[in-house]
Amino acid sequence: MSIHYPSGQGPHLHRTKLVNHLPAPRQSSYSKRGMSLEKEINESNQYYRATHQAVIHKKPTPIQLVKVDYPKRSAAVIKEAYFRRPSTTDYNGVYKGYYIDFDAKETRNKRSFPLKNFHQHQIDHLMACVKQGGICFAFIKFTTLDLLYLLPATKLFAYWQDQQNGGKSSITLTTIKKDGIPVKYGLNPRLQYLPAVDRLIAIYKKGEKNE
Amino acid sequence: MSIHYPSGQGPHLHRTKLVNHLPAPRQSSYSKRGMSLEKEINESNQYYRATHQAVIHKKPTPIQLVKVDYPKRSAAVIKEAYFRRPSTTDYNGVYKGYYIDFDAKETRNKRSFPLKNFHQHQIDHLMACVKQGGICFAFIKFTTLDLLYLLPATKLFAYWQDQQNGGKSSITLTTIKKDGIPVKYGLNPRLQYLPAVDRLIAIYKKGEKNE
């Protein structure tokens, strides 16, 4: 994960920020519903865990510790540390016996999704997980259109490979509509993504039979 | 995870520690081989990933950020943060299509393993993962004996339940030898734990057939 600066604040402005919530501060693209995709997914995961449907967690952001203080009679205080780039995607867990692994990306674009939102280490990690038989994908949200898709990792690999070979640097919404599985919003949880995962599992099982 | 203090330093001594490595400082119980179980597992995971045998990672320690500084032209600096208790175990990943989840514990005892090394949230998480069909276990190492066992989560649940009902607060080495699967040391990786996982998967598949 690259470190984003709060919107309107470039890296050249010196400032200290008080953070009241996890995770690391990042550029927020809010949808019309006023909630970031990350928060929506975290809420869904909480709901799915509480109702024993799936056990999926967001991984903590890795930190490089430099200085830790141990005050009298109280908890250790981290006094100097830096954000590190994770070597995996943000989410993983287990559902119906399947290993689930994914990342979530948002764009404010209306016609296409820029591939620069992904990083090589995320693609490498997803490829390694697919090889081990994991159910891997990316959530791609067009925030201004309020459209969310589950894009199978294998499709993502094809676009990525194409880009490496000098092809398109973004995926059109039309392609995502064709290759992705739409994710529906509801009441509880708001983001109901397990039905889309079920469809991906069905595709995966069909592929296994044909091998 | 509870925060441990460096050995010989109780919580009543005020000190500042410079940390040159991840993860959070913790009490280290070194085996005769001079390497902590955590480091051994991390090395094995790295080897298994590099040789495309399994994709298993240690989760980062979750941090509660309080103050983050954004200096001119350089990376964000965390100036105040605290360690948080994780809601899962430390390790998970995918192997041969199976979701793998485990924690690793060490004891310097020679005859039994104290159950207080586990926390309720770890047991709850392992139970939830077992329900979803995950392959779940704990590594238990007797450091002074240099003995390492893979203990299936279902066995651990039984001891834990027994303890809750006023039973024994530790598991004898004899019981662990009976219920666990021995893990062998070798050359590359030093800790060769996938063969033990294979045995656990075989037990799991047999159980599925009998249902």
Side-chain angles (χ1 to χ4, degrees), chain B residues 12-13 18 31 34 38 40 58 86 132 142 176 210:
Chain B
H12 303 299
L13 280 170
L18 283 166
S31 78
E38 180 180 317
E40 287 173 347
K58 182 175 188 292
Q132 285 298 327
F142 288 84
I176 290 173
N210 296 343

Side-chain angles (χ1 to χ4, degrees), chain A residues 69 84 94 97-98 121 145 147 152 159 175 181 186 190 197 208:
Chain A
D69 207 1
R84 289 169 65 223
V94 59
Y98 290 97
H121 74 272
L145 305 171
L147 285 176
Y159 312 142
T175 303
I181 301 165
R190 191 137 70 162
V197 175
E208 264 198 329

Side-chain angles (χ1 to χ4, degrees), chain A residues 41-42 44 59 85 87 93 167 169 190 200:
Chain A
I41 293 170
N42 288 346
S44 295
K59 289 190 180 182
R85 167 170 288 225
S87 43
S169 63
R190 191 137 70 162
L200 183 58

Side-chain angles (χ1 to χ4, degrees), chain A residues 11 15-17 19 22 25 52-53 60 63 65-66 68-70 73 78-81 84 92 96-97 132, chain B residues 11 15-17 19 22 25 52-53 60 63 65-66 68-70 73 78 80-81 84 92 96-97 132:
Chain A
R15 63 197 294 269
T16 292
K17 192 171 150 63
V19 184
L22 275 174
H52 311 291
Q53 292 184 72
I63 302 289
L65 295 174
V66 176
V68 181
D69 207 1
Y70 298 88
R73 293 179 196 81
I78 298 162
K79 301 295 270 184
E80 187 185 347
R84 289 169 65 223
N92 77 352
K96 292 181 179 174
Q132 284 298 326
Chain B
R15 63 196 293 269
T16 293
K17 191 173 150 63
V19 184
L22 275 174
H52 311 290
Q53 292 185 72
I63 301 290
L65 295 174
V66 177
V68 180
D69 207 3
Y70 297 88
R73 293 179 195 82
I78 298 161
E80 188 185 348
R84 289 167 66 223
N92 77 353
K96 292 183 180 170
Q132 285 298 327

Side-chain angles (χ1 to χ4, degrees), chain A residues 196-209:
Chain A
V197 175
D198 283 330
R199 283 183 60 185
L200 183 58
I201 291 172
I203 294 166
Y204 173 80
K205 281 166 97 171
K206 210 175 157 187
E208 264 198 329
K209 265 188 202 157

Side-chain angles (χ1 to χ4, degrees), chain A residues 104-145:
Chain A
K105 307 285 184 186
E106 291 171 289
T107 183
R108 298 190 63 81
N109 289 5
K110 287 176 184 170
R111 296 191 168 197
S112 66
F113 178 82
L115 282 165
K116 67 170 185 224
N117 283 289
F118 284 97
H119 302 285
Q120 189 64 51
H121 74 272
Q122 293 166 335
I123 304 288
D124 292 343
H125 173 73
L126 287 170
M127 279 183 170
C129 291
V130 163
K131 265 189 193 163
Q132 284 298 326
I135 299 295
C136 305
F137 54 88
F139 282 124
I140 294 193
K141 185 170 183 178
F142 288 84
T143 55
T144 44
L145 305 171

